[in-house]
Amino acid sequence: MRENRLRTLWKSGGAAVNGWLAIPNSFSAETMAHQGWDSLTIDLQHGMVDYQAMLPMLQAISTTDTVPVVRVPWLEPGILMKTLDAGAYGVICPMVNTREDAQKLVAYTHYAPRGTRSFGPVRALLYSGADYPEQANDTIVTFAMIETAKALDNLDDILSVEGLDAIYIGPSDLSLALGCRPVFDEVDPKAAEAIDHILARAKAHGVVAGIHNGTPEGALARIAKGFQFVTVSSDARLMAAGAQQVVAKMRAKTAPASAGGY
């Protein structure tokens, strides 16, 4: 079966740099995949992507060694199983708030006897190899998002669920839940304390900790703290930022002081 490079990186003590795909387009996904990310996450929750757009995006990522990950819309067995059948090597599930939620997530993403995942890895066999049925349980990575006050209250119960590989912090939702500003990097003190607590408890349980970031500087600071999966921005944000820089340079050189055009 094809190696899951996330697991290899984590086993060596390294951190994975993850990109984020919100644009429903295979060419933009392919372009992102060729930039050297360790993994790319297709966002079915808040991005503009649906399942039909996701499939060619997974195929585009497959032109590289970048690990394909998908954030599903919700804790629902159908979309989790179809996402894995399409060839995702990792799934991120939002709003996991209780031990029962985490147990369901693990069950939906693992074949029996570990779980209840239905068998039908149509494209996963093409991407992964003929021994996918035997190796999938030990290769696929399952992330539970920790982003609510309820999840914080149940943190140790969630982290103790066997088969849960990693957690992923959504700083904005977590901040909102704690009455703080919904930001990625420079979070308010109460949210910062919660993030440090989640990281410490994940380490204690031997669960990989991941987090969303807005800038490379923010992601590097969190790697230094011990996070092993860091997302930096997204395709849409990176495109906008790059275009904004070009336009600003052009306006500075060519636009009359009193005009808005070129």
Side-chain angles (χ1 to χ4, degrees):
M1 183 169 173
R2 184 192 293 233
E3 171 193 22
N4 189 328
R5 293 175 60 243
L6 290 179
R7 289 192 178 277
T8 305
L9 265 174
W10 295 340
K11 190 175 181 179
S12 69
V17 180
N18 177 64
W20 203 258
L21 304 180
I23 300 171
N25 185 272
S26 61
F27 178 60
S28 60
E30 185 177 21
T31 300
M32 284 282 283
H34 281 264
Q35 305 316 308
W37 303 94
D38 295 312
S39 59
L40 281 173
T41 298
I42 302 171
D43 187 7
L44 267 64
Q45 184 189 20
H46 289 307
M48 303 298 106
V49 187
D50 63 13
Y51 187 89
Q52 292 303 317
M54 178 196 74
L55 179 57
M57 293 170 72
L58 287 171
Q59 292 169 324
I61 295 169
S62 298
T63 61
T64 71
D65 291 331
T66 304
V67 180
V69 180
V70 175
R71 178 165 74 169
V72 296
W74 210 250
L75 178 58
E76 191 277 315
I79 191 61
L80 281 161
M81 295 182 197
K82 282 179 70 66
T83 294
L84 293 177
D85 288 345
Y89 252 34
V91 288
I92 300 175
C93 184
M95 298 292 178
V96 174
N97 293 319
T98 64
R99 179 178 177 81
E100 183 182 9
D101 287 345
Q103 288 173 325
K104 287 180 179 179
L105 174 60
V106 170
Y108 299 157
T109 53
H110 290 74
Y111 292 126
R114 293 194 207 173
T116 59
R117 180 184 171 189
S118 180
F119 187 76
V122 184
R123 181 179 175 270
L125 285 170
L126 300 177
Y127 176 75
S128 308
D131 58 345
Y132 181 89
E134 292 78 31
Q135 305 296 329
N137 281 354
D138 296 317
T139 302
I140 301 302
V141 172
T142 302
F143 291 82
M145 289 199 72
I146 305 296
E147 50 187 343
T148 67
K150 188 173 183 180
L152 275 177
D153 290 340
N154 294 311
L155 184 59
D156 281 297
D157 286 341
I158 292 169
L159 291 168
S160 65
V161 171
E162 185 176 356
L164 183 66
D165 302 300
I167 55 96
Y168 188 72
I169 299 173
S172 294
D173 273 316
L174 182 63
S175 294
L176 282 173
L178 298 174
C180 303
R181 297 172 302 127
V183 295
F184 290 149
D185 297 332
E186 299 299 326
V187 297
D188 293 339
K190 188 174 182 180
E193 183 180 347
I195 288 170
D196 289 344
H197 173 65
I198 295 168
L199 174 61
R201 295 316 301 156
K203 287 182 177 180
H205 285 271
V207 174
V208 169
I211 190 166
H212 210 90
N213 306 271
T215 64
E217 293 76 18
L220 287 168
R222 282 165 171 164
I223 289 175
K225 284 190 170 189
F227 283 95
Q228 288 187 275
F229 183 87
V230 291
T231 297
V232 184
S233 195
S234 70
D235 52 0
R237 288 175 182 270
L238 290 169
M239 181 177 68
Q244 189 177 53
Q245 289 178 10
V246 171
V247 172
K249 288 179 181 178
M250 293 300 296
R251 287 195 183 280
K253 295 291 185 181
T254 64
S258 60
Y262 296 111

